[in-house]
Amino acid sequence: MLSLLLADVAIAKFGAAVGAGLAAIGAGIGIGRIGGQAMDAMARQPEKMGDLRSSMIIAAALVEGVAFFAVIIALLALFA
């Protein structure tokens, strides 16, 4: 019985590590795409640079918020 509990703890730690890693990778990809597409848009229409920059910052903050939430959930799975 004790070995089953220890195996469950090991699986939970592995799952938490994978979840946090996937959240970080997903956030990196998302912010990279946001930045790249914003640079393309700024190159096409330089007069809209201010609006695009503020929209890009808001979108990046939302992506970071989701990634932070995922890491917190992974930490809760690890320690709860």
Side-chain angles (χ1 to χ4, degrees), residues 9 15-16 21-22 24 33 35 40 42 46-47 52 54-55 57 66-67 69 77-78:
V9 170
L22 288 175
R33 288 185 53 100
D40 288 343
M42 287 179 200
E47 67 274 4
L52 289 169
S54 62
S55 296
I57 290 172
V66 170
F69 183 70
L78 180 63

Side-chain angles (χ1 to χ4, degrees), residues 2-70:
L2 183 62
S3 63
L4 287 176
L5 290 175
L6 291 177
D8 287 342
V9 170
I11 291 171
K13 287 183 180 183
F14 178 73
V18 168
L22 288 175
I25 290 170
I29 291 170
I31 291 175
R33 288 185 53 100
I34 290 169
Q37 295 295 322
M39 290 298 140
D40 288 343
M42 287 179 200
R44 289 185 188 142
Q45 293 181 335
E47 67 274 4
K48 296 286 186 178
M49 192 175 297
D51 295 336
L52 289 169
R53 187 177 297 133
S54 62
S55 296
M56 180 182 67
I57 290 172
I58 290 170
L62 291 173
V63 170
E64 283 294 323
V66 170
F68 183 68
F69 183 70

